[in-house]
Amino acid sequence: MPEGPELHLASLFVNRMCEGLVFTGAVEKSEVNKNPEVPFCCDAYCIKAQSRGKEVRLTLAPIKNDDDSKRKVGNQQPMDVVFRFGMSGFFRFTSVDELPKHAHLRFYTNETPCRVLSFEDTRRFGSWHPNGTWQKDRGPCVMFEYESFRENVLSNLSDKAFDKPICEALLNQKYFNGIGNYLRAEILFRLQIPPFAKARTVLEGIELKDKDKKKIKKEITVLETTDTAGKKGVKVENPDLLSLCHAVPLEVVKLGENGYKPAKGEYSVLQAWMQCYSVDGMNSLSDHNGRTIWFKGDPGPMVPKGAKSRKIKWKIQKDHDYTDSKKAKKTHADSTAVEKPGKEKDDIKKESATFKAQRQKKDTKRVSMKPADENNKSKKQGKRSSKVPPRAGANQKKGKHVKEVIKRKSVTCRKSSTKAMPKRRSSGTRQGRSR
């Protein structure tokens, strides 16, 4: 889920927690993670973070000492490690004793007691790249490089990427670096744009406005940051799609850490801010890539064939306490184990009681019916089976036909048998048959 605003909040978190701290030693990687080792080891270094779209860069800078800088720093050069969070990545700052289970990359402080900055990723979809740079295929950041972002989109409308529906084009990080699933739903909802309208058709109207010299008014907006204040923002009197791609993520940033706390699984503030994404009363469909888009009204002409609605609702998540997770699992298992046997015994008792009652009814019926059938038999009806009730009137013809069929079968059986089987005497007219 982490998108541009969440990664920017993560960079602010790192800068605030690591400000004035000295880190030491080698950078550790967990054995289970398949990302590369970070070949950085220094006696004293500091950490600074910066975000751009859906990427975060940590800069590990050695600290020089005037007395013996060569001995302490050595040949170690500053290193940039670029992170992409995937579905569940984020940073945590804890003591060594409270180190979470899924801390896959760790930076240790030079203090007593020692603390650690870790990159936690439960699902392991995140990645990091030592000596990395911003990914070349990603466009300018929608939040902090707005002018370049806008120019990059409008000057490349002939690209095939804009032949797709606008909801799918908004996830293309080559042009919309930082926009993700919930942001695209909120942006399209505010402008009442059908999600499956053609992207080029939607964006060509913005290009005409620029040709008509309807300029965007700029103003300086101060973001709540700890590293750089006075970031440039844009305020638009009549917002279009591109301007909302800039303004809506900044609204999430202004929510602060209360909007997104992945370490504790709290999303209540962010959920209250949302107007469309996973909100009751909104429609949802899966796009051509299988991603769910939330919207209201007409979906547009480019809806995938056989697209199904996906009613995904927010799950109420409690605070995660990784130290007590095993205890919680045991108590849950114990409670379910105690309840199940009691229910099964009750069900068995009920089923056995009903089965006995039904059995008794059947037995009483059989006992009462047998003497009645034997007493009611007549000589004329002796050839008819005791189970078949006597019929009168038009049904007598059918009875004669049945008698003939029975006689034929008995003759064929005698011919096919090799030994003469002893026969029992039967009541009624059967005694008169030839042996």
Side-chain angles (χ1 to χ4, degrees), residues 286-321:
S286 56
D287 60 17
H288 292 87
N289 299 319
R291 302 289 300 274
T292 303
I293 177 67
W294 294 82
F295 61 96
K296 185 177 182 180
D298 182 22
M302 299 182 71
V303 178
K305 293 182 179 179
K308 297 181 180 179
S309 175
R310 292 185 177 183
K311 297 296 182 182
I312 304 172
K313 294 185 179 181
W314 287 83
K315 294 181 180 179
I316 300 173
Q317 299 182 3
K318 298 181 180 179
D319 292 353
H320 295 297
D321 187 356

Short mmCIF file of all heavy atoms in Angstrom, two decimals, residues 286-321:
data_model
loop_
_atom_site.label_atom_id
_atom_site.label_comp_id
_atom_site.label_asym_id
_atom_site.label_seq_id
_atom_site.Cartn_x
_atom_site.Cartn_y
_atom_site.Cartn_z
N SER A 286 -12.44 -4.41 -11.20
CA SER A 286 -11.02 -4.73 -11.43
C SER A 286 -10.63 -4.27 -12.83
O SER A 286 -11.36 -4.50 -13.79
CB SER A 286 -10.78 -6.23 -11.27
OG SER A 286 -11.63 -6.96 -12.14
N ASP A 287 -9.48 -3.60 -12.93
CA ASP A 287 -9.02 -3.11 -14.22
C ASP A 287 -8.34 -4.24 -15.00
O ASP A 287 -8.36 -5.40 -14.59
CB ASP A 287 -8.11 -1.89 -14.05
CG ASP A 287 -6.87 -2.22 -13.22
OD1 ASP A 287 -6.55 -3.42 -13.06
OD2 ASP A 287 -6.21 -1.28 -12.73
N HIS A 288 -7.71 -3.90 -16.13
CA HIS A 288 -7.09 -4.92 -16.96
C HIS A 288 -5.90 -5.58 -16.28
O HIS A 288 -5.48 -6.67 -16.68
CB HIS A 288 -6.63 -4.30 -18.30
CG HIS A 288 -7.76 -3.87 -19.18
ND1 HIS A 288 -8.36 -2.61 -19.07
CD2 HIS A 288 -8.44 -4.52 -20.16
CE1 HIS A 288 -9.32 -2.51 -19.97
NE2 HIS A 288 -9.40 -3.65 -20.63
N ASN A 289 -5.34 -4.94 -15.28
CA ASN A 289 -4.21 -5.50 -14.54
C ASN A 289 -4.64 -6.24 -13.27
O ASN A 289 -3.79 -6.69 -12.50
CB ASN A 289 -3.22 -4.39 -14.16
CG ASN A 289 -2.66 -3.70 -15.39
OD1 ASN A 289 -2.33 -4.36 -16.38
ND2 ASN A 289 -2.54 -2.39 -15.34
N GLY A 290 -5.95 -6.33 -13.03
CA GLY A 290 -6.45 -7.00 -11.85
C GLY A 290 -6.48 -6.14 -10.60
O GLY A 290 -6.79 -6.64 -9.52
N ARG A 291 -6.18 -4.85 -10.73
CA ARG A 291 -6.22 -3.94 -9.59
C ARG A 291 -7.63 -3.37 -9.43
O ARG A 291 -8.33 -3.08 -10.41
CB ARG A 291 -5.23 -2.78 -9.77
CG ARG A 291 -3.79 -3.21 -9.98
CD ARG A 291 -3.16 -3.74 -8.73
NE ARG A 291 -3.15 -2.77 -7.65
CZ ARG A 291 -2.19 -1.85 -7.49
NH1 ARG A 291 -1.18 -1.79 -8.34
NH2 ARG A 291 -2.24 -1.01 -6.48
N THR A 292 -8.05 -3.19 -8.19
CA THR A 292 -9.41 -2.71 -7.92
C THR A 292 -9.45 -1.20 -7.95
O THR A 292 -8.64 -0.54 -7.29
CB THR A 292 -9.88 -3.21 -6.54
OG1 THR A 292 -9.81 -4.63 -6.52
CG2 THR A 292 -11.33 -2.77 -6.29
N ILE A 293 -10.37 -0.65 -8.72
CA ILE A 293 -10.59 0.80 -8.79
C ILE A 293 -11.95 1.11 -8.20
O ILE A 293 -12.94 0.45 -8.52
CB ILE A 293 -10.47 1.33 -10.25
CG1 ILE A 293 -10.79 2.83 -10.30
CG2 ILE A 293 -11.36 0.53 -11.19
CD1 ILE A 293 -9.80 3.70 -9.60
N TRP A 294 -11.99 2.09 -7.32
CA TRP A 294 -13.23 2.53 -6.68
C TRP A 294 -13.71 3.81 -7.35
O TRP A 294 -12.90 4.69 -7.69
CB TRP A 294 -13.00 2.76 -5.19
CG TRP A 294 -12.69 1.50 -4.44
CD1 TRP A 294 -11.47 0.89 -4.36
CD2 TRP A 294 -13.60 0.69 -3.71
NE1 TRP A 294 -11.57 -0.26 -3.61
CE2 TRP A 294 -12.86 -0.40 -3.20
CE3 TRP A 294 -14.95 0.79 -3.43
CZ2 TRP A 294 -13.44 -1.37 -2.42
CZ3 TRP A 294 -15.53 -0.19 -2.65
CH2 TRP A 294 -14.79 -1.26 -2.15
N PHE A 295 -15.03 3.94 -7.54
CA PHE A 295 -15.56 5.09 -8.27
C PHE A 295 -17.04 5.23 -7.95
O PHE A 295 -17.64 4.38 -7.27
CB PHE A 295 -15.36 4.91 -9.79
CG PHE A 295 -16.07 3.71 -10.35
CD1 PHE A 295 -17.32 3.83 -10.94
CD2 PHE A 295 -15.49 2.45 -10.29
CE1 PHE A 295 -17.98 2.73 -11.45
CE2 PHE A 295 -16.14 1.34 -10.80
CZ PHE A 295 -17.38 1.48 -11.38
N LYS A 296 -17.62 6.28 -8.50
CA LYS A 296 -19.05 6.52 -8.35
C LYS A 296 -19.61 6.91 -9.71
O LYS A 296 -19.05 7.76 -10.40
CB LYS A 296 -19.31 7.65 -7.33
CG LYS A 296 -20.79 7.88 -7.05
CD LYS A 296 -20.99 8.94 -6.00
CE LYS A 296 -22.47 9.13 -5.68
NZ LYS A 296 -22.68 10.18 -4.64
N GLY A 297 -20.74 6.31 -10.08
CA GLY A 297 -21.38 6.65 -11.34
C GLY A 297 -20.93 5.76 -12.48
O GLY A 297 -20.62 4.58 -12.30
N ASP A 298 -20.87 6.34 -13.68
CA ASP A 298 -20.54 5.61 -14.90
C ASP A 298 -19.06 5.23 -14.90
O ASP A 298 -18.20 6.08 -14.70
CB ASP A 298 -20.86 6.49 -16.11
CG ASP A 298 -20.59 5.78 -17.42
OD1 ASP A 298 -20.56 4.53 -17.42
OD2 ASP A 298 -20.39 6.46 -18.45
N PRO A 299 -18.72 3.96 -15.15
CA PRO A 299 -17.31 3.57 -15.16
C PRO A 299 -16.56 4.02 -16.40
O PRO A 299 -15.33 4.13 -16.37
CB PRO A 299 -17.37 2.05 -15.07
CG PRO A 299 -18.68 1.69 -15.66
CD PRO A 299 -19.61 2.81 -15.29
N GLY A 300 -17.26 4.26 -17.52
CA GLY A 300 -16.58 4.66 -18.74
C GLY A 300 -16.64 3.58 -19.80
O GLY A 300 -17.03 2.43 -19.54
N PRO A 301 -16.21 3.90 -21.04
CA PRO A 301 -16.38 2.97 -22.17
C PRO A 301 -15.34 1.85 -22.25
O PRO A 301 -15.54 0.91 -23.00
CB PRO A 301 -16.27 3.89 -23.39
CG PRO A 301 -15.38 5.00 -22.94
CD PRO A 301 -15.68 5.22 -21.48
N MET A 302 -14.24 1.93 -21.51
CA MET A 302 -13.16 0.95 -21.67
C MET A 302 -13.13 -0.06 -20.52
O MET A 302 -12.06 -0.51 -20.10
CB MET A 302 -11.82 1.67 -21.77
CG MET A 302 -11.71 2.62 -22.95
SD MET A 302 -10.10 3.42 -23.09
CE MET A 302 -9.08 2.03 -23.61
N VAL A 303 -14.30 -0.43 -20.03
CA VAL A 303 -14.38 -1.42 -18.94
C VAL A 303 -13.94 -2.78 -19.48
O VAL A 303 -14.37 -3.19 -20.56
CB VAL A 303 -15.81 -1.49 -18.38
CG1 VAL A 303 -15.91 -2.54 -17.29
CG2 VAL A 303 -16.22 -0.14 -17.86
N PRO A 304 -13.11 -3.52 -18.77
CA PRO A 304 -12.70 -4.86 -19.23
C PRO A 304 -13.90 -5.80 -19.32
O PRO A 304 -14.85 -5.70 -18.56
CB PRO A 304 -11.72 -5.33 -18.15
CG PRO A 304 -11.28 -4.09 -17.45
CD PRO A 304 -12.42 -3.13 -17.53
N LYS A 305 -13.83 -6.73 -20.28
CA LYS A 305 -14.90 -7.71 -20.43
C LYS A 305 -14.89 -8.65 -19.23
O LYS A 305 -13.85 -9.17 -18.83
CB LYS A 305 -14.71 -8.52 -21.71
CG LYS A 305 -14.89 -7.68 -22.97
CD LYS A 305 -14.74 -8.55 -24.21
CE LYS A 305 -14.94 -7.72 -25.47
NZ LYS A 305 -14.77 -8.56 -26.69
N GLY A 306 -16.06 -8.86 -18.68
CA GLY A 306 -16.18 -9.76 -17.54
C GLY A 306 -15.63 -9.20 -16.25
O GLY A 306 -15.32 -9.95 -15.32
N ALA A 307 -15.47 -7.87 -16.18
CA ALA A 307 -14.96 -7.27 -14.94
C ALA A 307 -15.96 -7.46 -13.82
O ALA A 307 -17.16 -7.26 -13.99
CB ALA A 307 -14.69 -5.78 -15.16
N LYS A 308 -15.45 -7.86 -12.66
CA LYS A 308 -16.30 -8.13 -11.51
C LYS A 308 -16.06 -7.11 -10.41
O LYS A 308 -14.97 -6.57 -10.28
CB LYS A 308 -16.02 -9.54 -10.97
CG LYS A 308 -16.36 -10.64 -11.96
CD LYS A 308 -16.08 -12.00 -11.36
CE LYS A 308 -16.42 -13.11 -12.34
NZ LYS A 308 -16.13 -14.46 -11.76
N SER A 309 -17.11 -6.88 -9.66
CA SER A 309 -17.00 -5.97 -8.53
C SER A 309 -16.27 -6.64 -7.39
O SER A 309 -16.44 -7.83 -7.13
CB SER A 309 -18.40 -5.54 -8.07
OG SER A 309 -18.32 -4.74 -6.92
N ARG A 310 -15.43 -5.86 -6.73
CA ARG A 310 -14.66 -6.37 -5.60
C ARG A 310 -14.95 -5.50 -4.39
O ARG A 310 -14.47 -4.37 -4.30
CB ARG A 310 -13.17 -6.36 -5.89
CG ARG A 310 -12.74 -7.35 -6.95
CD ARG A 310 -11.24 -7.37 -7.09
NE ARG A 310 -10.78 -8.35 -8.03
CZ ARG A 310 -9.50 -8.60 -8.29
NH1 ARG A 310 -8.58 -7.91 -7.67
NH2 ARG A 310 -9.15 -9.52 -9.16
N LYS A 311 -15.74 -6.01 -3.49
CA LYS A 311 -16.10 -5.25 -2.29
C LYS A 311 -15.09 -5.54 -1.18
O LYS A 311 -15.28 -6.40 -0.33
CB LYS A 311 -17.51 -5.61 -1.83
CG LYS A 311 -18.58 -5.25 -2.86
CD LYS A 311 -18.64 -3.75 -3.08
CE LYS A 311 -19.74 -3.37 -4.07
NZ LYS A 311 -19.78 -1.93 -4.33
N ILE A 312 -13.96 -4.85 -1.25
CA ILE A 312 -12.91 -5.01 -0.25
C ILE A 312 -13.08 -3.92 0.80
O ILE A 312 -13.06 -2.74 0.48
CB ILE A 312 -11.52 -4.93 -0.89
CG1 ILE A 312 -11.39 -5.97 -2.00
CG2 ILE A 312 -10.43 -5.13 0.16
CD1 ILE A 312 -10.14 -5.84 -2.81
N LYS A 313 -13.25 -4.31 2.03
CA LYS A 313 -13.43 -3.35 3.11
C LYS A 313 -12.23 -3.34 4.03
O LYS A 313 -11.48 -4.31 4.11
CB LYS A 313 -14.71 -3.68 3.91
CG LYS A 313 -15.97 -3.51 3.09
CD LYS A 313 -17.19 -3.73 3.96
CE LYS A 313 -18.48 -3.52 3.16
NZ LYS A 313 -19.68 -3.72 4.00
N TRP A 314 -12.07 -2.23 4.71
CA TRP A 314 -10.96 -2.09 5.64
C TRP A 314 -11.15 -3.07 6.79
O TRP A 314 -12.24 -3.27 7.30
CB TRP A 314 -10.89 -0.68 6.21
CG TRP A 314 -10.40 0.34 5.24
CD1 TRP A 314 -11.14 0.98 4.28
CD2 TRP A 314 -9.07 0.82 5.10
NE1 TRP A 314 -10.36 1.84 3.57
CE2 TRP A 314 -9.09 1.77 4.06
CE3 TRP A 314 -7.88 0.56 5.77
CZ2 TRP A 314 -7.94 2.45 3.67
CZ3 TRP A 314 -6.75 1.24 5.37
CH2 TRP A 314 -6.78 2.17 4.33
N LYS A 315 -10.06 -3.67 7.20
CA LYS A 315 -10.08 -4.55 8.36
C LYS A 315 -9.65 -3.75 9.59
O LYS A 315 -8.70 -2.98 9.54
CB LYS A 315 -9.11 -5.72 8.17
CG LYS A 315 -9.54 -6.66 7.06
CD LYS A 315 -8.56 -7.81 6.94
CE LYS A 315 -8.98 -8.76 5.84
NZ LYS A 315 -8.02 -9.89 5.70
N ILE A 316 -10.37 -3.94 10.68
CA ILE A 316 -10.02 -3.26 11.92
C ILE A 316 -8.82 -4.00 12.52
O ILE A 316 -8.91 -5.15 12.93
CB ILE A 316 -11.20 -3.28 12.91
CG1 ILE A 316 -12.40 -2.55 12.27
CG2 ILE A 316 -10.81 -2.64 14.23
CD1 ILE A 316 -13.66 -2.65 13.10
N GLN A 317 -7.69 -3.32 12.53
CA GLN A 317 -6.46 -3.94 12.99
C GLN A 317 -6.07 -3.37 14.35
O GLN A 317 -6.11 -2.16 14.57
CB GLN A 317 -5.33 -3.69 11.99
CG GLN A 317 -5.63 -4.27 10.62
CD GLN A 317 -4.47 -4.06 9.66
OE1 GLN A 317 -3.45 -3.54 10.04
NE2 GLN A 317 -4.65 -4.49 8.43
N LYS A 318 -5.65 -4.25 15.22
CA LYS A 318 -5.20 -3.85 16.54
C LYS A 318 -3.70 -3.57 16.50
O LYS A 318 -3.01 -3.92 15.56
CB LYS A 318 -5.51 -4.94 17.56
CG LYS A 318 -7.00 -5.22 17.71
CD LYS A 318 -7.23 -6.29 18.75
CE LYS A 318 -8.73 -6.57 18.90
NZ LYS A 318 -8.98 -7.64 19.91
N ASP A 319 -3.22 -2.93 17.54
CA ASP A 319 -1.80 -2.65 17.63
C ASP A 319 -1.03 -3.96 17.66
O ASP A 319 -1.37 -4.89 18.38
CB ASP A 319 -1.49 -1.85 18.91
CG ASP A 319 -2.06 -0.45 18.82
OD1 ASP A 319 -2.55 -0.11 17.74
OD2 ASP A 319 -2.01 0.27 19.83
N HIS A 320 0.04 -4.00 16.86
CA HIS A 320 0.86 -5.20 16.80
C HIS A 320 1.91 -5.17 17.91
O HIS A 320 2.69 -4.22 18.00
CB HIS A 320 1.56 -5.30 15.44
CG HIS A 320 0.61 -5.48 14.31
ND1 HIS A 320 -0.20 -6.58 14.19
CD2 HIS A 320 0.33 -4.70 13.24
CE1 HIS A 320 -0.93 -6.48 13.10
NE2 HIS A 320 -0.63 -5.35 12.51
N ASP A 321 1.91 -6.19 18.74
CA ASP A 321 2.94 -6.35 19.74
C ASP A 321 3.69 -7.62 19.38
O ASP A 321 3.26 -8.73 19.66
CB ASP A 321 2.33 -6.45 21.14
CG ASP A 321 3.40 -6.44 22.22
OD1 ASP A 321 4.59 -6.42 21.85
OD2 ASP A 321 3.05 -6.44 23.40
#
